[in-house]
Amino acid sequence: MNKRLGDSTPVYLKLQTKIQSEIENGRLSPGDCIPPEKELAQMHQVSVGTVKKAILNLANEGYLYRIQGKGTFVAGTTMRRENLRYYCCLNAFGGKEASLKIKFLELKKTDGIEQINCYLKIRHNQGLYELRRLFISNKKPLIYCVSYFPQKLFEGLETFQTNRFERIPLYLLLEKKYGLPTTSNRELIGTVKTDEDCSKILKIPQGTSVLFIEMISFTYRKKPYEYRQSYCITDTHKFLREY
Amino acid sequence: MNKRLGDSTPVYLKLQTKIQSEIENGRLSPGDCIPPEKELAQMHQVSVGTVKKAILNLANEGYLYRIQGKGTFVAGTTMRRENLRYYCCLNAFGGKEASLKIKFLELKKTDGIEQINCYLKIRHNQGLYELRRLFISNKKPLIYCVSYFPQKLFEGLETFQTNRFERIPLYLLLEKKYGLPTTSNRELIGTVKTDEDCSKILKIPQGTSVLFIEMISFTYRKKPYEYRQSYCITDTHKFLREY
DNA sequence: GCTCATTTGTTCGTATGTATC
DNA sequence: TGATACATACGAACAAATGAG
């Protein structure tokens, strides 16, 4: 590794960027172990301290985690973000959280949808998966959500047993199978009057105002991988957000 | 500074905790400069590397920021969080942001309110400030918000010229005057039908469903310093949240 | 515009402690 | 128990930015 000849980016930063790229490119996947400090130092002809700095930075940013005596590993979503919960429903601050059951409704392939493909940064002609789910608390429907994914990114999704969608959070399912952790989410929050389909599923009168959340989830390199619409009943429980 | 005799917490961590305490206790305020590495090293009889580690950790956590050649300084909210925007209103992802004008409505002292004092972690008998504001976009009211603060924490708030509340974000005003930066926010999001007061101010029919956001803002040591209720019209613009 | 003292940033190397298997 | 790997701590040298004179 060239030590600041001509270009002025520090050595540790070059190494750091290199490792980060390998993670983002999928050459290293969540759970993988990277070579020990000493070895990396020899490989790149730099000191151990420099390697340590690069690795600690990546660990701070959530790309890696380290265990003393064991090694350094590539982090997944759970490691990066202790508490990723899209739907945490409370009746009040400090109040009780609703325990949500997931009900799988449907998963199907669809053609591209212009607006959504645009959000997902894929071409108009690329197909999508559409996943519809219902979240139920105390036998009462609370959230109806429709997710869209690029077919190209998640090939074979339709072969999953449907009950797997009801057992673990979607983002964990996708990370496990496709190696894509969630790095950030962006939401637009508003209200909307339910249409026929939605009001039937939520068992409320058509035209009722409900909370409407559009979300885009991102993975490495700020790449969007899911667009989701959620219709939420907030009579008894409200949605927690922290930032 | 005792170097790991008996107790096992590392030296750098003790120093780090010490500096953090001084910031959180207000002995150091946003903008203040701390002694240079060499001096701190001598003061505590440790090596420069150890001081560096303590300071870099605090810088990563947002307590400090450093400028090469100048020194190390205590960070305020703007330094800690580039983009703290409670109200960022977009018509769609990638769409245009509404430019909001703030209209000051009222600031008054009130008695404690049980539920709110509880959120703010102060005793029932402690008084509050109540601040009411209206956010306007394109001459149309978008957000009506009512904030509550502990009187004890913000003594003299009522002596501010009211137009100062219309010029800069509230959190900056409070930080500047009282030295309390915002470290995190917690929100509960739902919908509510407007009452008479609210519908008059927002110029919409009474009983219209609007987005309703309750928020608690925290400063150092996770201390709550504001409780806020926002009533938001989301016909044209929705609320952005990232996490 | 230049120089110099100060301060942080980068890099090296070494020694020792501690957790894991 | 020993080998491995990360964590802590020290110290030294030089680079790069800042601000004062």
Side-chain angles (χ1 to χ4, degrees):
Chain A
M1 186 143 301
N2 37 336
K3 297 184 187 154
R4 323 191 63 170
L5 304 174
D7 98 61
S8 65
T9 65
V11 181
Y12 79 87
L13 195 51
K14 281 189 209 143
L15 178 55
Q16 182 180 328
T17 309
K18 185 163 174 285
I19 299 174
Q20 184 176 328
S21 302
E22 288 180 357
I23 296 173
E24 292 180 338
N25 289 333
R27 283 195 292 276
L28 290 170
S29 296
D32 286 358
C33 179
I34 72 170
E37 295 174 352
K38 226 188 286 181
E39 208 171 306
L40 283 171
Q42 282 177 353
M43 283 168 53
H44 298 93
Q45 291 296 301
V46 298
S47 78
V48 184
T50 301
V51 171
K52 198 184 267 291
K53 174 141 188 163
I55 289 181
L56 282 181
N57 282 345
L58 288 173
N60 281 330
E61 292 171 23
Y63 286 91
L64 300 171
Y65 65 96
R66 319 191 80 190
I67 301 177
Q68 185 177 151
K70 278 186 85 172
T72 302
F73 306 86
V74 178
T77 308
T78 356
M79 276 296 166
R80 299 176 67 97
R81 326 181 52 189
E82 312 113 60
N83 225 351
L84 184 57
R85 305 275 299 280
Y86 300 149
Y87 304 131
C88 179
C89 299
L90 302 177
N91 57 355
F93 286 120
K96 236 184 50 188
E97 185 184 344
S99 77
L100 295 177
K101 282 208 194 332
I102 310 175
K103 186 165 167 13
F104 171 89
L105 299 179
E106 186 187 19
L107 172 65
K108 65 178 183 194
K109 288 187 174 188
T110 77
D111 289 337
I113 299 168
E114 182 160 350
Q115 180 63 97
I116 296 177
N117 285 34
C118 178
Y119 291 152
L120 294 174
K121 297 234 168 85
I122 57 177
R123 276 192 297 278
H124 318 98
N125 55 358
Q126 291 204 19
L128 299 170
Y129 283 108
E130 178 184 312
L131 170 66
R132 300 192 299 116
R133 293 176 299 164
L134 184 64
F135 290 77
I136 299 171
S137 166
N138 242 339
K139 315 212 168 177
K140 230 191 74 175
L142 270 197
I143 308 164
Y144 167 46
C145 88
V146 188
S147 298
Y148 296 90
F149 316 89
Q151 280 179 24
K152 213 171 174 179
L153 215 51
F154 298 104
E155 262 174 55
L157 191 62
E158 74 277 12
T159 65
F160 278 42
Q161 286 182 11
T162 62
N163 69 11
R164 294 192 62 185
F165 291 101
E166 304 190 335
R167 270 185 223 292
I168 60 170
L170 184 58
Y171 73 89
L172 282 184
L173 195 69
L174 298 178
E175 171 177 328
K176 220 157 131 187
K177 171 90 176 183
Y178 300 96
L180 294 177
T182 305
T183 55
S184 66
N185 296 92
R186 188 174 295 170
E187 291 180 339
L188 279 183
I189 303 174
T191 60
V192 79
K193 290 187 197 307
T194 53
D195 61 13
E196 190 183 340
D197 174 49
C198 179
S199 52
K200 244 184 225 162
I201 290 172
L202 286 174
K203 295 185 183 163
I204 53 175
Q206 189 174 336
T208 310
S209 273
V210 293
L211 185 64
F212 178 58
I213 303 180
E214 293 176 275
M215 182 183 75
I216 300 176
S217 293
F218 298 87
T219 184
Y220 295 137
R221 297 176 187 278
K222 267 273 183 217
K223 169 155 186 54
Y225 75 88
E226 178 189 358
Y227 168 73
R228 183 189 298 198
Q229 298 179 328
S230 305
Y231 301 85
C232 321
I233 300 177
T234 58
D235 303 349
T236 57
H237 291 86
K238 291 162 193 169
F239 278 69
L240 183 69
R241 286 292 175 259
E242 297 183 276
Y243 55 96
Chain B
M1 187 143 301
N2 38 336
K3 297 185 186 152
R4 322 193 60 170
L5 304 174
D7 99 59
S8 65
T9 66
V11 181
Y12 79 88
L13 195 51
K14 280 188 209 141
L15 178 55
Q16 182 181 328
T17 309
K18 186 162 173 286
I19 298 173
Q20 184 176 328
S21 302
E22 289 179 356
I23 295 172
E24 292 181 338
N25 290 332
R27 284 196 291 275
L28 289 169
S29 296
D32 286 358
C33 181
I34 72 169
E37 294 174 354
K38 225 188 287 182
E39 208 171 306
L40 282 171
Q42 283 178 352
M43 282 168 53
H44 298 91
Q45 290 295 301
V46 298
S47 78
V48 182
T50 302
V51 171
K52 202 184 267 291
K53 174 139 189 163
I55 288 181
L56 282 180
N57 282 344
L58 289 173
N60 281 331
E61 291 171 23
Y63 286 92
L64 299 172
Y65 64 96
R66 320 191 79 191
I67 301 177
Q68 186 176 155
K70 278 185 85 172
T72 303
F73 306 86
V74 178
T77 308
T78 354
M79 275 298 167
R80 297 176 68 96
R81 329 184 47 190
E82 313 112 58
N83 226 352
L84 184 59
R85 305 275 298 281
Y86 299 149
Y87 303 131
C88 180
C89 300
L90 302 177
N91 57 356
F93 285 120
K96 235 183 52 188
E97 184 183 344
S99 77
L100 295 177
K101 280 207 197 328
I102 310 175
K103 187 166 166 15
F104 171 89
L105 298 178
E106 187 187 20
L107 172 65
K108 66 177 182 195
K109 289 187 174 188
T110 77
D111 289 338
I113 299 168
E114 181 160 350
Q115 181 62 96
I116 297 177
N117 285 33
C118 178
Y119 290 153
L120 294 174
K121 297 232 167 88
I122 56 177
R123 277 191 296 277
H124 318 99
N125 55 356
Q126 289 203 20
L128 299 169
Y129 283 108
E130 177 185 314
L131 170 66
R132 301 192 299 116
R133 293 176 298 164
L134 185 64
F135 290 76
I136 299 171
S137 166
N138 242 337
K139 315 213 168 178
K140 229 191 75 174
L142 270 197
I143 308 163
Y144 167 46
C145 87
V146 189
S147 299
Y148 297 89
F149 316 89
Q151 280 178 24
K152 213 170 174 181
L153 215 51
F154 299 105
E155 264 174 53
L157 191 62
E158 73 276 13
T159 65
F160 277 41
Q161 287 182 11
T162 61
N163 69 13
R164 294 191 62 187
F165 290 101
E166 304 191 335
R167 270 185 223 292
I168 60 169
L170 184 57
Y171 73 89
L172 282 184
L173 194 70
L174 297 178
E175 171 176 327
K176 221 158 131 184
K177 171 91 173 182
Y178 300 96
L180 294 178
T182 305
T183 55
S184 67
N185 297 92
R186 187 174 296 172
E187 290 180 340
L188 280 183
I189 303 174
T191 60
V192 78
K193 290 186 197 307
T194 53
D195 61 14
E196 191 183 342
D197 174 50
C198 179
S199 53
K200 243 184 225 163
I201 289 171
L202 285 174
K203 294 187 184 162
I204 52 175
Q206 189 174 334
T208 309
S209 273
V210 293
L211 185 63
F212 178 57
I213 304 179
E214 293 176 275
M215 181 183 76
I216 300 176
S217 293
F218 298 87
T219 185
Y220 295 137
R221 297 175 186 280
K222 267 274 182 217
K223 173 161 183 46
Y225 76 88
E226 177 189 358
Y227 169 73
R228 184 190 296 197
Q229 297 180 329
S230 305
Y231 302 85
C232 319
I233 300 177
T234 58
D235 304 348
T236 58
H237 292 85
K238 292 163 193 166
F239 278 69
L240 182 69
R241 286 293 175 258
E242 297 181 277
Y243 55 96

Short mmCIF file of all heavy atoms in Angstrom, two decimals, chain B residues 87 132-135 141-148 190-195 197-199 201-202 204 208-214 227-234 239:
data_model
loop_
_atom_site.label_atom_id
_atom_site.label_comp_id
_atom_site.label_asym_id
_atom_site.label_seq_id
_atom_site.Cartn_x
_atom_site.Cartn_y
_atom_site.Cartn_z
N TYR B 87 -39.47 19.63 11.54
CA TYR B 87 -40.49 19.73 10.52
C TYR B 87 -39.85 19.88 9.15
O TYR B 87 -39.50 20.98 8.74
CB TYR B 87 -41.40 20.93 10.79
CG TYR B 87 -42.06 20.89 12.15
CD1 TYR B 87 -42.02 22.00 12.98
CD2 TYR B 87 -42.70 19.76 12.59
CE1 TYR B 87 -42.62 21.98 14.22
CE2 TYR B 87 -43.29 19.72 13.84
CZ TYR B 87 -43.26 20.84 14.65
OH TYR B 87 -43.85 20.80 15.89
N ARG B 132 -47.09 28.56 22.17
CA ARG B 132 -47.92 28.15 21.04
C ARG B 132 -47.43 28.84 19.77
O ARG B 132 -47.20 30.05 19.76
CB ARG B 132 -49.39 28.48 21.30
CG ARG B 132 -49.92 27.79 22.56
CD ARG B 132 -51.43 27.86 22.68
NE ARG B 132 -51.90 29.23 22.77
CZ ARG B 132 -52.69 29.80 21.86
NH1 ARG B 132 -53.09 29.12 20.80
NH2 ARG B 132 -53.06 31.05 22.00
N ARG B 133 -47.24 28.05 18.74
CA ARG B 133 -46.75 28.60 17.47
C ARG B 133 -47.51 28.00 16.30
O ARG B 133 -48.10 26.92 16.42
CB ARG B 133 -45.24 28.28 17.32
CG ARG B 133 -44.36 28.98 18.32
CD ARG B 133 -42.92 28.55 18.16
NE ARG B 133 -42.76 27.14 18.39
CZ ARG B 133 -41.69 26.44 18.02
NH1 ARG B 133 -40.70 27.04 17.38
NH2 ARG B 133 -41.61 25.15 18.27
N LEU B 134 -47.45 28.70 15.19
CA LEU B 134 -48.09 28.22 13.97
C LEU B 134 -47.06 28.25 12.85
O LEU B 134 -46.34 29.23 12.69
CB LEU B 134 -49.28 29.13 13.63
CG LEU B 134 -50.14 28.72 12.44
CD1 LEU B 134 -50.83 27.39 12.70
CD2 LEU B 134 -51.18 29.81 12.16
N PHE B 135 -46.99 27.16 12.10
CA PHE B 135 -46.07 27.10 10.96
C PHE B 135 -46.87 27.22 9.68
O PHE B 135 -47.84 26.48 9.46
CB PHE B 135 -45.29 25.78 10.96
CG PHE B 135 -44.28 25.70 12.07
CD1 PHE B 135 -44.67 25.46 13.37
CD2 PHE B 135 -42.94 25.89 11.82
CE1 PHE B 135 -43.76 25.38 14.40
CE2 PHE B 135 -42.00 25.82 12.85
CZ PHE B 135 -42.41 25.57 14.14
N PRO B 141 -51.79 27.71 6.75
CA PRO B 141 -51.32 27.08 7.99
C PRO B 141 -51.09 25.59 7.77
O PRO B 141 -51.94 24.92 7.19
CB PRO B 141 -52.49 27.28 8.96
CG PRO B 141 -53.36 28.32 8.34
CD PRO B 141 -53.15 28.23 6.86
N LEU B 142 -49.94 25.08 8.22
CA LEU B 142 -49.64 23.65 8.06
C LEU B 142 -49.56 22.95 9.40
O LEU B 142 -50.02 21.82 9.55
CB LEU B 142 -48.29 23.47 7.34
CG LEU B 142 -48.28 23.38 5.82
CD1 LEU B 142 -46.96 22.80 5.35
CD2 LEU B 142 -49.43 22.53 5.32
N ILE B 143 -48.92 23.61 10.37
CA ILE B 143 -48.68 22.96 11.66
C ILE B 143 -49.02 23.91 12.80
O ILE B 143 -48.56 25.06 12.82
CB ILE B 143 -47.20 22.57 11.80
CG1 ILE B 143 -46.72 21.78 10.60
CG2 ILE B 143 -46.97 21.80 13.09
CD1 ILE B 143 -45.20 21.70 10.48
N TYR B 144 -49.79 23.42 13.73
CA TYR B 144 -50.04 24.15 14.96
C TYR B 144 -49.37 23.38 16.07
O TYR B 144 -49.63 22.19 16.24
CB TYR B 144 -51.55 24.26 15.20
CG TYR B 144 -51.94 24.73 16.58
CD1 TYR B 144 -51.32 25.83 17.18
CD2 TYR B 144 -52.96 24.09 17.28
CE1 TYR B 144 -51.69 26.26 18.44
CE2 TYR B 144 -53.34 24.51 18.54
CZ TYR B 144 -52.69 25.60 19.11
OH TYR B 144 -53.05 26.02 20.37
N CYS B 145 -48.47 24.03 16.80
CA CYS B 145 -47.79 23.28 17.83
C CYS B 145 -47.75 23.98 19.17
O CYS B 145 -47.64 25.21 19.25
CB CYS B 145 -46.40 22.84 17.37
SG CYS B 145 -45.11 24.00 17.66
N VAL B 146 -47.90 23.20 20.21
CA VAL B 146 -47.92 23.69 21.58
C VAL B 146 -46.79 23.00 22.34
O VAL B 146 -46.74 21.78 22.39
CB VAL B 146 -49.26 23.37 22.28
CG1 VAL B 146 -49.33 24.06 23.62
CG2 VAL B 146 -50.43 23.77 21.40
N SER B 147 -45.87 23.80 22.89
CA SER B 147 -44.72 23.24 23.61
C SER B 147 -44.80 23.57 25.09
O SER B 147 -45.29 24.63 25.47
CB SER B 147 -43.42 23.83 23.05
OG SER B 147 -43.27 23.51 21.69
N TYR B 148 -44.29 22.67 25.90
CA TYR B 148 -44.20 22.90 27.33
C TYR B 148 -42.78 22.70 27.82
O TYR B 148 -42.13 21.73 27.43
CB TYR B 148 -45.14 21.94 28.08
CG TYR B 148 -46.59 22.13 27.75
CD1 TYR B 148 -47.18 21.45 26.69
CD2 TYR B 148 -47.37 23.02 28.49
CE1 TYR B 148 -48.52 21.63 26.38
CE2 TYR B 148 -48.71 23.21 28.18
CZ TYR B 148 -49.28 22.51 27.12
OH TYR B 148 -50.60 22.70 26.81
N GLY B 190 -49.69 9.72 15.56
CA GLY B 190 -51.02 9.18 15.32
C GLY B 190 -51.88 10.18 14.60
O GLY B 190 -51.38 11.14 14.02
N THR B 191 -53.20 9.95 14.62
CA THR B 191 -54.12 10.92 14.04
C THR B 191 -55.09 11.36 15.12
O THR B 191 -55.29 10.67 16.12
CB THR B 191 -54.92 10.30 12.88
OG1 THR B 191 -55.67 9.20 13.38
CG2 THR B 191 -53.99 9.82 11.77
N VAL B 192 -55.70 12.53 14.92
CA VAL B 192 -56.67 13.02 15.89
C VAL B 192 -57.64 13.94 15.16
O VAL B 192 -57.30 14.53 14.13
CB VAL B 192 -55.94 13.78 17.03
CG1 VAL B 192 -55.54 15.17 16.61
CG2 VAL B 192 -56.79 13.81 18.28
N LYS B 193 -58.85 14.03 15.67
CA LYS B 193 -59.81 14.97 15.10
C LYS B 193 -59.65 16.32 15.81
O LYS B 193 -59.58 16.38 17.02
CB LYS B 193 -61.24 14.45 15.28
CG LYS B 193 -61.56 13.22 14.42
CD LYS B 193 -63.03 12.86 14.54
CE LYS B 193 -63.29 11.44 14.04
NZ LYS B 193 -62.80 11.19 12.68
N THR B 194 -59.60 17.38 15.02
CA THR B 194 -59.32 18.69 15.61
C THR B 194 -60.47 19.16 16.49
O THR B 194 -61.64 18.95 16.17
CB THR B 194 -59.11 19.75 14.50
OG1 THR B 194 -60.22 19.72 13.62
CG2 THR B 194 -57.84 19.47 13.74
N ASP B 195 -60.11 19.83 17.59
CA ASP B 195 -61.13 20.46 18.43
C ASP B 195 -61.36 21.90 17.93
O ASP B 195 -60.80 22.31 16.92
CB ASP B 195 -60.71 20.44 19.90
CG ASP B 195 -59.41 21.20 20.14
OD1 ASP B 195 -58.98 21.96 19.24
OD2 ASP B 195 -58.82 21.04 21.21
N ASP B 197 -60.59 24.99 19.13
CA ASP B 197 -59.41 25.84 19.16
C ASP B 197 -58.48 25.53 17.98
O ASP B 197 -58.14 26.42 17.18
CB ASP B 197 -58.68 25.59 20.49
CG ASP B 197 -57.35 26.32 20.56
OD1 ASP B 197 -57.33 27.52 20.28
OD2 ASP B 197 -56.35 25.66 20.90
N CYS B 198 -58.14 24.28 17.86
CA CYS B 198 -57.18 23.85 16.85
C CYS B 198 -57.69 24.09 15.43
O CYS B 198 -56.94 24.53 14.55
CB CYS B 198 -56.89 22.37 17.09
SG CYS B 198 -55.75 21.67 15.92
N SER B 199 -58.95 23.78 15.20
CA SER B 199 -59.49 23.93 13.85
C SER B 199 -59.56 25.40 13.45
O SER B 199 -59.38 25.74 12.28
CB SER B 199 -60.86 23.26 13.73
OG SER B 199 -61.71 23.72 14.74
N ILE B 201 -57.48 27.76 14.44
CA ILE B 201 -56.13 28.21 14.16
C ILE B 201 -55.62 27.67 12.83
O ILE B 201 -54.96 28.37 12.06
CB ILE B 201 -55.19 27.78 15.31
CG1 ILE B 201 -55.50 28.61 16.55
CG2 ILE B 201 -53.72 27.94 14.91
CD1 ILE B 201 -54.81 28.16 17.79
N LEU B 202 -55.94 26.42 12.53
CA LEU B 202 -55.48 25.82 11.27
C LEU B 202 -56.43 26.15 10.11
O LEU B 202 -56.16 25.77 8.96
CB LEU B 202 -55.39 24.29 11.43
CG LEU B 202 -54.19 23.77 12.24
CD1 LEU B 202 -54.28 22.27 12.45
CD2 LEU B 202 -52.88 24.11 11.54
N ILE B 204 -59.47 25.00 9.38
CA ILE B 204 -60.10 23.83 8.77
C ILE B 204 -61.34 23.51 9.58
O ILE B 204 -61.47 23.96 10.72
CB ILE B 204 -59.16 22.59 8.76
CG1 ILE B 204 -58.62 22.34 10.19
CG2 ILE B 204 -58.01 22.79 7.78
CD1 ILE B 204 -57.79 21.10 10.31
N THR B 208 -61.97 17.60 11.63
CA THR B 208 -61.13 17.05 10.58
C THR B 208 -60.02 16.20 11.20
O THR B 208 -59.47 16.54 12.23
CB THR B 208 -60.47 18.18 9.76
OG1 THR B 208 -61.47 19.10 9.36
CG2 THR B 208 -59.75 17.63 8.55
N SER B 209 -59.70 15.10 10.56
CA SER B 209 -58.58 14.27 11.04
C SER B 209 -57.27 14.88 10.59
O SER B 209 -57.08 15.17 9.40
CB SER B 209 -58.69 12.84 10.49
OG SER B 209 -59.49 12.06 11.34
N VAL B 210 -56.37 15.08 11.51
CA VAL B 210 -55.03 15.58 11.17
C VAL B 210 -53.98 14.68 11.81
O VAL B 210 -54.27 13.90 12.71
CB VAL B 210 -54.81 17.03 11.66
CG1 VAL B 210 -55.71 17.99 10.92
CG2 VAL B 210 -55.00 17.12 13.16
N LEU B 211 -52.77 14.83 11.30
CA LEU B 211 -51.64 14.12 11.89
C LEU B 211 -51.34 14.74 13.25
O LEU B 211 -51.31 15.96 13.39
CB LEU B 211 -50.43 14.25 10.97
CG LEU B 211 -49.18 13.48 11.33
CD1 LEU B 211 -49.43 12.00 11.30
CD2 LEU B 211 -48.05 13.84 10.38
N PHE B 212 -51.13 13.89 14.25
CA PHE B 212 -50.88 14.38 15.60
C PHE B 212 -49.57 13.78 16.10
O PHE B 212 -49.44 12.56 16.20
CB PHE B 212 -52.04 13.99 16.51
CG PHE B 212 -51.86 14.40 17.94
CD1 PHE B 212 -51.66 15.73 18.28
CD2 PHE B 212 -51.90 13.45 18.96
CE1 PHE B 212 -51.50 16.11 19.60
CE2 PHE B 212 -51.73 13.83 20.29
CZ PHE B 212 -51.53 15.17 20.60
N ILE B 213 -48.60 14.64 16.39
CA ILE B 213 -47.30 14.17 16.84
C ILE B 213 -47.02 14.69 18.24
O ILE B 213 -47.03 15.90 18.48
CB ILE B 213 -46.17 14.63 15.90
CG1 ILE B 213 -46.45 14.18 14.46
CG2 ILE B 213 -44.83 14.09 16.37
CD1 ILE B 213 -45.38 14.61 13.47
N GLU B 214 -46.81 13.78 19.16
CA GLU B 214 -46.32 14.17 20.49
C GLU B 214 -44.82 13.95 20.50
O GLU B 214 -44.34 12.93 20.03
CB GLU B 214 -46.94 13.30 21.58
CG GLU B 214 -48.41 13.48 21.78
CD GLU B 214 -48.92 12.48 22.82
OE1 GLU B 214 -49.22 11.34 22.42
OE2 GLU B 214 -48.98 12.85 24.00
N TYR B 227 -41.85 19.09 26.04
CA TYR B 227 -42.90 18.21 25.55
C TYR B 227 -43.72 19.02 24.56
O TYR B 227 -44.08 20.17 24.84
CB TYR B 227 -43.79 17.73 26.69
CG TYR B 227 -45.05 17.05 26.22
CD1 TYR B 227 -45.02 15.77 25.67
CD2 TYR B 227 -46.29 17.69 26.29
CE1 TYR B 227 -46.16 15.15 25.22
CE2 TYR B 227 -47.45 17.07 25.85
CZ TYR B 227 -47.38 15.81 25.31
OH TYR B 227 -48.51 15.19 24.84
N ARG B 228 -43.97 18.45 23.41
CA ARG B 228 -44.61 19.22 22.34
C ARG B 228 -45.71 18.43 21.67
O ARG B 228 -45.58 17.23 21.45
CB ARG B 228 -43.54 19.58 21.29
CG ARG B 228 -44.06 20.47 20.17
CD ARG B 228 -43.04 20.59 19.06
NE ARG B 228 -41.82 21.25 19.50
CZ ARG B 228 -40.92 21.76 18.65
NH1 ARG B 228 -41.12 21.68 17.34
NH2 ARG B 228 -39.82 22.34 19.10
N GLN B 229 -46.80 19.11 21.37
CA GLN B 229 -47.87 18.50 20.60
C GLN B 229 -48.00 19.25 19.28
O GLN B 229 -48.10 20.47 19.28
CB GLN B 229 -49.19 18.59 21.36
CG GLN B 229 -49.20 17.83 22.67
CD GLN B 229 -50.51 17.94 23.41
OE1 GLN B 229 -51.19 18.96 23.29
NE2 GLN B 229 -50.87 16.90 24.17
N SER B 230 -47.99 18.52 18.18
CA SER B 230 -48.10 19.14 16.86
C SER B 230 -49.31 18.61 16.12
O SER B 230 -49.50 17.39 16.04
CB SER B 230 -46.84 18.88 16.03
OG SER B 230 -45.69 19.30 16.71
N TYR B 231 -50.11 19.53 15.58
CA TYR B 231 -51.25 19.16 14.74
C TYR B 231 -50.91 19.55 13.31
O TYR B 231 -50.66 20.73 13.04
CB TYR B 231 -52.51 19.90 15.20
CG TYR B 231 -52.87 19.62 16.63
CD1 TYR B 231 -52.29 20.35 17.68
CD2 TYR B 231 -53.77 18.62 16.96
CE1 TYR B 231 -52.61 20.09 19.00
CE2 TYR B 231 -54.11 18.35 18.27
CZ TYR B 231 -53.52 19.09 19.29
OH TYR B 231 -53.83 18.83 20.59
N CYS B 232 -50.88 18.58 12.41
CA CYS B 232 -50.30 18.82 11.09
C CYS B 232 -51.27 18.49 9.98
O CYS B 232 -51.87 17.40 9.95
CB CYS B 232 -49.05 17.97 10.90
SG CYS B 232 -48.01 17.87 12.34
N ILE B 233 -51.41 19.41 9.04
CA ILE B 233 -52.22 19.16 7.84
C ILE B 233 -51.32 18.54 6.79
O ILE B 233 -50.27 19.08 6.47
CB ILE B 233 -52.81 20.47 7.32
CG1 ILE B 233 -53.70 21.10 8.39
CG2 ILE B 233 -53.60 20.24 6.04
CD1 ILE B 233 -54.27 22.44 8.00
N THR B 234 -51.74 17.37 6.28
CA THR B 234 -50.84 16.65 5.38
C THR B 234 -51.43 16.44 3.98
O THR B 234 -51.11 15.48 3.29
CB THR B 234 -50.45 15.28 5.98
OG1 THR B 234 -51.63 14.53 6.21
CG2 THR B 234 -49.67 15.44 7.25
N PHE B 239 -44.55 14.45 6.29
CA PHE B 239 -43.44 14.67 7.20
C PHE B 239 -42.32 13.67 6.98
O PHE B 239 -42.55 12.46 7.00
CB PHE B 239 -43.93 14.57 8.64
CG PHE B 239 -44.54 15.83 9.11
CD1 PHE B 239 -45.74 16.25 8.57
CD2 PHE B 239 -43.90 16.62 10.04
CE1 PHE B 239 -46.32 17.43 8.96
CE2 PHE B 239 -44.48 17.81 10.43
CZ PHE B 239 -45.68 18.21 9.90
#
